[in-house]
Amino acid sequence: MITEEEMQSSPELDELGFEPGGRTRRNRRRRRRSRAVALLMVMVLAAGAAWAVATWLDRGRGGSGVLAGDKDGQTAILFMIRQADDPTRRSDMLVVFALDAAGTNPITLFMPTNALTEIPGHGLDLAGRGFQFGGMRLQSLVVDNVLGIVLDRDAAMTDAVLGKLVDAAGGLDITVEDTLIEPGGGVAFSPGLQKMNGEAVRGYLRYQGDGETELSRIARAQHVWEAMFAAWGRLGVGALAEKFREIGSEWNEGIETGLTPLDLAEFFSAFTAGSPADRIYTALPVEPVSAGGSEQALRIDEDQVGNLVSQYFAASIPKNPYLGTRIEVLNGNGIPQIGEEVALKLIPKGYRIVLNKNARSFDFETTKIVVYSRDERSLGAARKIQELLGVGEIEIGTRAQTVVDVTIVVGHDFEPRD
């Protein structure tokens, strides 16, 4: 849109509207026509912009074809929720929702944000810091790496937006199982059935009492999502899509996703189609560990994760004969977070990044792909990695290795994405 300052300084407008030595009727008519044309152009541009935004948010009210039924296997979507007033922007809740190809068998997996895991390009840290370090792209990559699956889509939102969704659904009926005490000694939530608005749900999800871990919060989060599904089920797909559209102004602000309001409505309506008994809730198997200081941390039980994924997410596991190959990434070219770029090429194919650190120097001109055995599986995995990276020389390592199967020393020949 042309600003007032730009109009005043525009030679074209000066020529149309102002002449030294007086104003004639002809000039006035020209000015009126010019203003009418300019007003019409502004109206057309505004209408075009509104249409573009509506189309982007709704994509023709036909969805974007990413949901259950459009592909073999399973559709898995990661929802990341962060606290709106947290300047670090770290994840406060990670939830994977999944449906099979027929749009049935709804599964909800909670992944603790305090679970210790390798964050590609950053090293060992809490899983929820993936968003803090690299936004939704890195956060999804962290979840893919932990579970060994490929997520189809993702969405990030603040708990303030979640509160708006609660209010749009008319509030939630949630049964509080125990008395929850505030830090100062007062009662935060009393036991029994509670009718909670959006602000109350935000407080309920944030609450973590003395002696509790994030697992206690996850147990309460299950009650919130079950109540949300019940409320959304009463609305139906069309009305639910309208509720999502009502907060459309939040897109790319409080909400970050490539999904449309109709996509979300279609997907979550499938969760409400059956009875509560049809919905499966589970959590990543973890146990508390000491992380030093006041920070709580949880250790992931790798064996149990494998069993959980085989049971509920087998259809989302990528097909790769070298599935689960454990990879160490060493930064040999000095480009910050280069390990994330390597991970973007390898994790979606079923490889696992288990270690990230710097190489002994940043002077490696050529990328090295080091395996520790001459068997066909090891060499085959190395050749496939070479193909995916587009660079690299394969070498046989001489030192015994039990933690990783392949070491990649990233050289200056590796081209990160723009």
Side-chain angles (χ1 to χ4, degrees), residues 297-314:
L298 301 165
R299 179 189 291 116
I300 298 172
D301 187 321
E302 302 286 352
D303 291 335
Q304 288 193 45
V305 168
N307 294 334
L308 182 149
V309 171
S310 297
Q311 182 176 2
Y312 297 122
F313 296 94

Side-chain angles (χ1 to χ4, degrees), residues 322 351 371 375-386 394:
Y322 311 109
Y351 297 94
V371 294
D375 64 80
E376 185 50 41
R377 176 178 171 81
S378 297
L379 293 173
R383 286 192 290 267
K384 187 61 179 177
I385 292 169
Q386 184 184 48
I394 298 174

Side-chain angles (χ1 to χ4, degrees), residues 264-277:
L264 294 172
E266 289 175 342
F267 184 82
F268 284 115
S269 289
F271 269 76
T272 71
S275 68

Side-chain angles (χ1 to χ4, degrees), residues 90 114 126 129 208-214 288-298:
R90 63 177 288 182
N114 281 352
L126 303 181
R129 288 187 175 145
Q208 185 167 318
D210 292 339
E212 288 189 338
T213 68
E214 190 180 358
V289 294
S290 175
S294 60
E295 190 80 77
Q296 287 187 333
L298 301 165

